[in-house]
Amino acid sequence: MPRQITIEPLTIDSFKPYGDVIQLEGNKNIVIANQGTAKRVNHVALLENRRESSGPALQTARPNMCIFSSAPRPTVGGRFPVKLLERHPYSSQVFMPIHQQGVRADPDTPCYLVIVAENGPNDQPDLGTIRAFAANSTQGINYKANS
Protein backbone atom coordinates (compact mmCIF):
# COMPACT_ATOMS: atom_id res chain seq x y z
CA MET A 1 0.00 0.00 0.00
CA PRO A 2 1.50 3.38 -0.98
CA ARG A 3 2.37 5.60 1.94
CA GLN A 4 2.22 9.37 1.96
CA ILE A 5 4.95 11.27 3.80
CA THR A 6 5.16 14.95 4.61
CA ILE A 7 8.00 16.94 3.08
CA GLU A 8 10.00 18.78 5.74
CA PRO A 9 12.27 21.79 5.27
CA LEU A 10 15.94 20.76 5.14
CA THR A 11 17.76 22.15 8.18
CA ILE A 12 21.12 21.41 9.76
CA ASP A 13 19.44 19.98 12.88
CA SER A 14 16.70 17.95 11.17
CA PHE A 15 19.18 16.22 8.84
CA LYS A 16 21.89 15.53 11.45
CA PRO A 17 20.94 11.83 11.96
CA TYR A 18 21.66 11.22 8.25
CA GLY A 19 24.63 13.52 7.67
CA ASP A 20 25.42 17.18 7.07
CA VAL A 21 23.67 20.09 5.39
CA ILE A 22 26.21 22.13 3.44
CA GLN A 23 25.19 25.79 3.51
CA LEU A 24 26.24 29.24 4.67
CA GLU A 25 22.89 30.39 6.07
CA GLY A 26 22.52 29.38 9.70
CA ASN A 27 26.08 28.06 9.96
CA LYS A 28 27.75 29.07 13.22
CA ASN A 29 31.35 28.86 11.95
CA ILE A 30 31.47 31.53 9.22
CA VAL A 31 34.82 33.31 8.88
CA ILE A 32 35.34 36.33 6.65
CA ALA A 33 38.16 35.61 4.15
CA ASN A 34 39.94 37.04 1.11
CA GLN A 35 40.17 40.59 2.43
CA GLY A 36 36.48 40.70 3.27
CA THR A 37 35.22 39.52 -0.11
CA ALA A 38 34.28 35.98 0.86
CA LYS A 39 32.68 33.89 3.59
CA ARG A 40 34.35 30.64 4.55
CA VAL A 41 33.11 27.75 6.63
CA ASN A 42 35.60 25.01 7.48
CA HIS A 43 34.63 21.38 7.97
CA VAL A 44 31.06 21.71 6.72
CA ALA A 45 30.86 17.94 6.21
CA LEU A 46 32.54 14.85 7.54
CA LEU A 47 33.99 12.98 4.56
CA GLU A 48 34.40 9.30 5.43
CA ASN A 49 36.00 6.26 3.89
CA ARG A 50 35.46 3.18 6.07
CA ARG A 51 36.84 0.67 3.60
CA GLU A 52 39.48 -1.60 5.05
CA SER A 53 42.58 -2.17 2.95
CA SER A 54 42.13 -5.91 2.59
CA GLY A 55 42.23 -6.48 -1.15
CA PRO A 56 43.68 -5.00 -4.33
CA ALA A 57 40.48 -3.18 -5.32
CA LEU A 58 39.91 -1.76 -1.85
CA GLN A 59 43.53 -0.69 -1.41
CA THR A 60 43.14 1.67 -4.35
CA ALA A 61 39.84 3.18 -3.15
CA ARG A 62 40.18 6.95 -3.09
CA PRO A 63 37.90 9.99 -3.05
CA ASN A 64 36.07 10.53 -6.32
CA MET A 65 34.44 13.88 -7.14
CA CYS A 66 31.79 13.29 -9.83
CA ILE A 67 29.17 15.44 -11.48
CA PHE A 68 25.75 13.97 -12.18
CA SER A 69 23.39 16.03 -14.30
CA SER A 70 19.91 14.94 -13.27
CA ALA A 71 16.62 15.66 -14.95
CA PRO A 72 13.55 16.41 -12.85
CA ARG A 73 11.39 13.36 -12.21
CA PRO A 74 7.69 13.66 -12.93
CA THR A 75 5.08 13.49 -10.23
CA VAL A 76 2.00 11.30 -10.53
CA GLY A 77 -1.13 13.13 -9.47
CA GLY A 78 0.99 15.58 -7.48
CA ARG A 79 2.84 12.73 -5.77
CA PHE A 80 6.38 11.49 -6.19
CA PRO A 81 6.69 7.71 -6.18
CA VAL A 82 9.88 6.57 -4.42
CA LYS A 83 11.22 3.59 -6.33
CA LEU A 84 14.74 3.29 -4.91
CA LEU A 85 16.58 3.92 -1.65
CA GLU A 86 20.29 3.17 -1.58
CA ARG A 87 22.91 3.00 1.12
CA HIS A 88 26.66 3.46 0.90
CA PRO A 89 28.01 1.43 3.83
CA TYR A 90 31.65 2.47 3.46
CA SER A 91 31.70 6.12 2.47
CA SER A 92 29.97 9.44 2.74
CA GLN A 93 28.39 10.96 -0.36
CA VAL A 94 27.93 14.66 -1.18
CA PHE A 95 25.24 16.22 -3.37
CA MET A 96 25.37 19.90 -4.36
CA PRO A 97 23.01 21.64 -6.75
CA ILE A 98 24.72 23.07 -9.83
CA HIS A 99 22.44 24.97 -12.15
CA GLN A 100 22.85 25.09 -15.88
CA GLN A 101 24.01 28.33 -17.45
CA GLY A 102 21.12 30.73 -17.95
CA VAL A 103 18.88 29.03 -15.38
CA ARG A 104 18.07 31.30 -12.47
CA ALA A 105 17.41 29.56 -9.16
CA ASP A 106 15.40 31.16 -6.38
CA PRO A 107 17.16 30.36 -3.08
CA ASP A 108 13.82 30.49 -1.25
CA THR A 109 12.17 27.87 -3.46
CA PRO A 110 12.80 24.14 -2.99
CA CYS A 111 14.73 22.71 -5.92
CA TYR A 112 15.22 19.04 -5.01
CA LEU A 113 14.04 16.35 -2.60
CA VAL A 114 16.26 14.43 -0.21
CA ILE A 115 14.63 11.15 0.85
CA VAL A 116 16.14 9.07 3.65
CA ALA A 117 15.34 6.11 5.88
CA GLU A 118 17.20 4.32 8.63
CA ASN A 119 18.68 0.91 7.94
CA GLY A 120 16.49 -1.86 9.32
CA PRO A 121 17.46 -5.05 11.16
CA ASN A 122 17.25 -7.02 7.88
CA ASP A 123 19.84 -4.69 6.28
CA GLN A 124 17.09 -3.09 4.17
CA PRO A 125 15.59 0.41 4.50
CA ASP A 126 13.18 0.67 7.44
CA LEU A 127 10.23 2.20 5.59
CA GLY A 128 8.65 3.16 8.91
CA THR A 129 11.42 5.76 9.31
CA ILE A 130 11.30 7.28 5.82
CA ARG A 131 11.58 11.08 5.69
CA ALA A 132 11.64 13.61 2.86
CA PHE A 133 13.37 16.99 2.97
CA ALA A 134 12.99 19.92 0.58
CA ALA A 135 16.39 21.43 -0.25
CA ASN A 136 16.80 24.82 -1.85
CA SER A 137 19.38 25.93 -4.39
CA THR A 138 21.83 27.12 -1.69
CA GLN A 139 21.93 23.78 0.16
CA GLY A 140 23.96 20.67 -0.43
CA ILE A 141 23.92 17.50 1.61
CA ASN A 142 26.46 14.96 2.74
CA TYR A 143 25.09 11.52 3.58
CA LYS A 144 27.23 10.03 6.33
CA ALA A 145 28.73 6.60 5.75
CA ASN A 146 26.23 3.75 6.13
CA SER A 147 23.27 6.06 5.54
Side-chain angles (χ1 to χ4, degrees):
M1 167 112 180
R3 220 179 124 207
Q4 186 171 335
I5 58 174
T6 302
I7 299 172
E8 308 171 44
L10 180 65
T11 67
I12 292 170
D13 290 334
S14 66
F15 195 71
K16 189 149 293 291
Y18 311 101
D20 310 296
V21 176
I22 302 168
Q23 66 181 33
L24 279 174
E25 192 68 37
N27 201 301
K28 299 174 185 126
N29 302 316
I30 296 175
V31 176
I32 302 302
N34 295 352
Q35 300 174 331
T37 63
K39 295 177 183 177
R40 173 181 171 159
V41 181
N42 292 318
H43 308 290
V44 295
L46 176 63
L47 303 178
E48 298 178 274
N49 180 358
R50 295 182 180 178
R51 289 177 177 87
E52 294 184 24
S53 297
S54 60
L58 295 180
Q59 288 174 344
T60 61
R62 63 182 197 270
N64 179 19
M65 181 66 79
C66 302
I67 294 178
F68 282 78
S69 179
S70 301
R73 297 222 178 147
T75 59
V76 178
R79 296 174 188 231
F80 178 80
V82 178
K83 297 181 179 181
L84 172 71
L85 292 171
E86 60 179 51
R87 177 171 60 99
H88 295 264
Y90 302 111
S91 62
S92 53
Q93 189 173 32
V94 173
F95 289 87
M96 293 291 301
I98 299 175
H99 297 284
Q100 294 177 354
Q101 188 172 6
V103 175
R104 189 176 184 305
D106 179 355
D108 296 322
T109 302
C111 73
Y112 66 101
L113 283 178
V114 178
I115 301 171
V116 295
E118 295 175 14
N119 195 41
N122 60 353
D123 209 28
Q124 298 292 316
D126 177 353
L127 297 181
T129 66
I130 195 167
R131 294 174 73 184
F133 298 96
N136 67 41
S137 64
T138 67
Q139 295 175 305
I141 57 132
N142 175 53
Y143 291 114
K144 65 184 179 182
N146 207 29
S147 289

